[in-house]
Each structure stands twice: as C-alpha cells, then as structure tokens.
Amino acid sequence: MPLATITIAQALRKLRMKECSAQELALACIDRIEAMNPTLNAVVHTNFERALEQAKNIDASGGTSLPLGGIPYLAKDVFCEAGVPTTACSNILRNKTYTPPFDSTTTKRLTAAGAISLGKANTDEFTMGSSTETSCYGVTRNPWDVTRVAGGSSGGSAAGVAADMGLFALGTDTGGSIREPSAFCNCTGLRPTYGRTSRFGVMSMASSLDTIGPICKTVEDIALVMNVIAGKDPLDGTTVDKPVPDHTKVLTGNVKGMKIGLPKEYFIEGLNPEIETSVHEAVAILKDLGATITEISLPHSAYATATYYVLCPCEVSSNMARYDGIRFGHTVDKPASLTDYYGRVRSEGFGSEVKRRIMIGTYALSSGYYDAYYRQAQKVRTLIRQDFNTAFRDVDIIAAPVTPNPAFTIGIHDNDPIAMYLEDIFLVGQVMAGIPAMSVPCGFTKTGLPLGLQLMGAQWSEELVLRCAHAYEQATRFFEKKPAL
Ligand code: GLN
C-alpha cells in the first residue's frame, strides 16, 4: 500500500515501530501534492522545506511518541500560520501576500503534538460558498470526477485528503463547509459543538456560527485529531472549559440500544433518490447493529436556509470591515480621496460573493430593516434550536442526508446564487443550534460519485456521534474505496 494512502492510526503504528520515518511519510504526501495538484488545485501555498525540517527533528528526537508525531496535514487557507502565506483565497490578502506573524491556536496545538503542516488548502473566498469556486486561485476539482466540484468551502481540504496529499486536513464549518466537501469526496468530517475548538487565529466569516474541525479518512482519525485540538483556549472567549476526553475510547462498535431519529423534514421533494436510498440503507444497517429507529420532526427546518442567509451575511458585513488595505493586504496607488481609497481597495480586493454578502448584511442590519430581518432571523434561530433540543429528549442521534445532490458540475450554479444556497439546505439547522454534526461515507451513486450520511448529536455529544459513526463505518467500510486518479 503506498505510504500516503494510510490512515493516521496506521501511520502512528508504523512510525512508532520504525517501519517508516516521519521524513518518508512527509515526502510521500509531498510527492502526491506535486503529482496531483496541477489537476486538482487543492493546495494553494506549500511549506515543504519547513515540513521536512520538522519531520527530520521528529525522527531525530523520538517525536513519533507524541500524539500526532510525524503526521503530515493540510490546513484550509484561513488558519494563520507564522511565516506561511494565509490569504483566505481572496485577492484582498493575496496581493502583497499576507503572511501572518503568529499561529492559530489549532496550528500551535498540532505542532506541539508533532503534526506537520505541508501547506494551505484551497477554499471559497473567506469560506463563502459551497463549491470552492469563489477562490481567487480558481476551483478545486473533485478527485472522483474532475469535471465536478469538490464541495466547499473546505473543498481543498477534502480533495487533498481524498487524493492522499495529507493524512488529514483542517476545515471550518460555518454552514456545512466541513460536512459537504467530506460527503462529495468520500471523506469523514466533523463539525464539533460550537465552543469545543478554538477559532483564535482563524479568519472569521460569521463568528457566532464558525467552527473549526478535522477532515479525515476514518472516524478513528477524527478522534485522534480531536484529542489534540479540542478544549478551552484563553484566547477564544467562546470556547468552553470542559474536560477533553480520549475520543478514541468510545469507538467500541457498539450501538445497541442507541436511539436514532430520522427527521421527516429532511426527506423532501428535490432530494436525489440515490441519496435518499443510501441514507435509508445506512439507517437499516445501524438498526441491524442494535440501534432503534424512529421518525422525528424538526418543524422549523424549512426556515433554516433563509435564516442562515440573513444571519451569516450580517456577521460577514461586520467581519469584512477590517480589510481596509491599510495595515495589510491589497492597496491602491494615488487615491483621490479617502472614500476613493476605500472604494477601490474593497471593490478590487473582494470577489462578487463576498460583496453580495456585505451588501445583504449591511442592508439587513441597517436601521428600519434590522427589526424586519436580523431580529426576526434571530428569533427563528431560537425556534430551530428548540426543535433540536426537543428532539434530543427522545433520541440520541439524528441521521439525515448531508446534501440534496451529489457533487455537482463545475459552473452549474454560476448565475444562480440561490440555487447554490439551496445546496446547504440540510447543513445549516445544526449551525443555528451549535450542535456537533458529521459526514461519514455511505456509498456511491451508479456513476461512482461518493455520498455522505449525516449524524448529529446534542451539544457536547461528540463521543456519542463518533461512536455511532464508527460502528457504521466499520460495518460498511466505504472509506476504503479510493478515487481512480
Ligand atoms: N455554503 C455555506 C455558505 O456559503 C457554508 C460555508 C461555510 O460553512 N464556510 O455560507
């Protein structure tokens, strides 16, 4: 088996048994990046020299005994890493290439645990999108079918993992950006409970919705990464001081007596029939393993997308205000006035999706419209959250599709932002509720495109979600299938 194709768990065993070195493993992934990136465009900045130096030190100092000692990974291009370009795939930071002088908390934790960053993965501009098509570096192609998107916004992260360019990747999930690309690329991705992982040093899109999490090949690998990245961070006041368990301990394969709910609002007209069948088949497997299945209702689900696409742009309009070209990033020559300066910096620097959201958000927050849109959306957010709280009184896990469609053709939604937003229909309710949700491979379409099963739990129930996902994954092993690249 080629070295880069192995899982984190397998790699740790090999490294500790001295069956391979950290340098060999890093080189194997670097070879994959060099061979496949011209086709896939998954990686936008590389860090090979430093990565190999780090691998050498790990080999020399017995660093492979660290929790992720010698494991190479990719980080979405919004994780600040000292000395490595970090641009959120936006021209506003790409011009005069922004290179942060500090590490995000997650980067710091991973480095301390011995993980090795190989570079930055492609993303929609400032993570706004569902297809990585809004990146200033161009679209990431899906390793399973290069005419299709890899999903977004963490498309580079998922394509990178699917193509064995890193053993795992970091993503962010504001409204599905870890789960959707994971489903499109046959990866396993977890959006943790809001407050479980630190956002410090990660460029924000919508601060009350953004979470950061891993995209991996298996559930066990997710657990291994979560063990390192989860937990209170004094630099992010929204992280919560709860002990971090050993997430691998719960992967027993046992789901006997687990109560799983199927929300009827997630099986609606427009859902691709092959996805519907695969989710029902997945649930039948969980039933065979001893879980009980009931139909449940999340009555406000139909409002989730509309609510998200009011609240998210409002927070975007505020978060994007800091990009003024004065302290860093894109700037312009000979402005006629201050207004001309700001106007040109921001209209040249931002792409159209970012501008659309700034305008929608600014409008919805302005006096007179605030009550009609923003306040109203916040109220609906509460109703959606209450739906989940009520459901989790009766069930342990909610199972659903990740997306209404498999990976779509590049360019298909170019002139229709609403059609693009509707791709997120099953992904944004969880965000309103701040609950953990993950995507696990659950089969393929007849034409060979990967499909994902979404599993959600109540706040802070990552262990339960992982246990369920692991039992299902081990019973089906769809993760073992690789794209023919
Ligand atoms: N597709 C969603 C959006 O465009 C989610 C993006 C994300 O989770 N970063 O906002």
Side-chain angles (χ1 to χ4, degrees), residues 14 18 76 155 206 219 234 239 264 276 370 427 432 465:
K14 270 185 182 290
K18 304 239 180 302
K76 186 172 180 173
V219 178
T239 53
K264 62 171 192 265
E276 180 162 8
Y370 177 94
L427 294 165
M432 303 293 144
V465 177

Side-chain angles (χ1 to χ4, degrees), residues 189-412:
L190 171 71
R191 172 194 168 91
T193 303
Y194 183 84
R196 177 86 279 199
T197 45
S198 169
R199 293 178 294 110
F200 178 76
V202 182
M203 293 167 181
S204 308
M205 162 153 84
S207 309
S208 82
L209 311 168
D210 293 347
T211 53
I212 72 112
I215 295 180
C216 295
K217 296 172 185 170
T218 63
V219 178
E220 185 182 14
D221 285 3
I222 296 269
L224 288 165
V225 178
M226 283 300 287
N227 284 353
V228 170
I229 66 173
K232 173 85 184 154
D233 175 14
L235 298 174
D236 174 356
T238 59
T239 53
V240 175
D241 198 2
K242 271 185 182 288
V244 179
D246 178 350
H247 295 84
T248 61
K249 284 263 155 56
V250 297
L251 308 181
T252 57
N254 185 0
V255 291
K256 286 208 175 65
M258 198 181 268
K259 291 189 206 138
I260 299 179
L262 278 183
K264 62 171 192 265
E265 294 80 3
Y266 283 58
F267 296 88
I268 48 174
E269 213 187 302
L271 172 61
N272 174 292
E274 287 185 279
I275 294 186
E276 180 162 8
T277 309
S278 74
V279 172
H280 284 302
E281 281 171 5
V283 169
I285 287 168
L286 285 163
K287 192 172 170 199
D288 285 347
L289 294 172
T292 58
I293 315 295
T294 45
E295 189 184 83
I296 60 160
S297 175
L298 297 167
H300 297 91
S301 298
Y303 306 108
T305 311
T307 309
Y308 173 85
Y309 278 101
V310 172
L311 294 179
C312 172
C314 287
E315 296 192 29
V316 163
S317 75
S318 150
N319 271 327
M320 293 300 117
R322 75 191 58 148
Y323 300 101
D324 56 11
I326 290 174
R327 284 154 298 179
F328 44 78
H330 179 62
T331 190
V332 293
D333 281 339
K334 300 196 180 73
S337 65
L338 193 59
T339 317
D340 177 53
Y341 176 81
Y342 280 122
R344 279 168 54 203
V345 164
R346 289 167 65 83
S347 59
E348 289 171 18
F350 288 134
S352 58
E353 183 58 29
V354 175
K355 286 179 193 159
R356 179 178 300 120
R357 294 198 196 199
I358 292 173
M359 285 192 287
I360 294 172
T362 308
Y363 178 85
L365 285 175
S366 55
S367 144
Y369 298 104
Y370 177 94
D371 286 326
Y373 296 104
Y374 184 74
R375 190 190 297 276
Q376 202 66 8
Q378 286 291 18
K379 288 183 184 165
V380 183
R381 179 178 187 173
T382 303
L383 294 174
I384 293 170
R385 201 177 63 230
Q386 284 168 356
D387 283 355
F388 280 102
N389 290 345
T390 309
F392 285 122
R393 278 189 220 130
D394 298 326
V395 297
D396 303 308
I397 293 288
I398 297 177
V402 179
T403 54
N405 299 301
F408 44 89
T409 304
I410 292 169
I412 198 173

Side-chain angles (χ1 to χ4, degrees), residues 76 127-130 153 172-177 205 308-309 312 357 424:
K76 186 172 180 173
T127 81
M128 295 174 212
S130 312
S153 58
T172 62
D173 190 311
T174 303
S177 284
M205 162 153 84
Y308 173 85
Y309 278 101
C312 172
R357 294 198 196 199
D424 303 334

Side-chain angles (χ1 to χ4, degrees), residues 25-217:
L25 190 55
L27 274 173
C29 291
I30 291 171
D31 284 349
R32 286 296 289 173
I33 296 173
E34 283 175 342
M36 293 321 306
N37 210 46
T39 310
L40 299 177
N41 195 29
V43 178
V44 294
H45 314 290
T46 56
N47 191 20
F48 297 158
E49 219 170 289
R50 193 156 95 184
L52 289 171
E53 192 57 43
Q54 219 179 321
K56 199 166 145 195
N57 290 338
I58 284 177
D59 286 330
S61 66
T64 50
S65 61
L66 292 166
L68 293 174
I71 303 297
Y73 74 97
L74 299 168
K76 186 172 180 173
D77 194 32
V78 286
F79 285 80
C80 288
E81 195 174 334
V84 183
T86 307
T87 65
C89 295
S90 174
N91 280 327
I92 211 155
L93 292 176
R94 179 193 195 178
N95 301 348
K96 292 188 38 196
T97 314
Y98 176 62
T99 304
F102 71 109
D103 279 342
S104 77
T105 293
T106 305
T107 309
K108 220 184 264 167
R109 286 180 178 168
L110 286 170
T111 308
I116 299 171
S117 160
L118 297 177
K120 294 304 179 56
N122 204 0
T123 163
D124 281 293
E125 184 176 4
F126 283 104
T127 81
M128 295 174 212
S130 312
S131 62
T132 316
E133 289 170 290
T134 70
S135 163
C136 71
Y137 302 101
V139 68
T140 293
R141 292 174 180 273
N142 191 313
W144 293 85
D145 175 349
V146 296
T147 67
R148 291 174 187 267
V149 302
S153 58
S154 313
S157 300
V161 172
D164 303 314
M165 295 175 170
L167 267 55
F168 74 98
L170 290 173
T172 62
D173 190 311
T174 303
S177 284
I178 286 177
R179 291 163 286 156
E180 188 240 33
S182 295
F184 284 4
C185 295
N186 205 38
C187 297
T188 302
L190 171 71
R191 172 194 168 91
T193 303
Y194 183 84
R196 177 86 279 199
T197 45
S198 169
R199 293 178 294 110
F200 178 76
V202 182
M203 293 167 181
S204 308
M205 162 153 84
S207 309
S208 82
L209 311 168
D210 293 347
T211 53
I212 72 112
I215 295 180
C216 295
K217 296 172 185 170

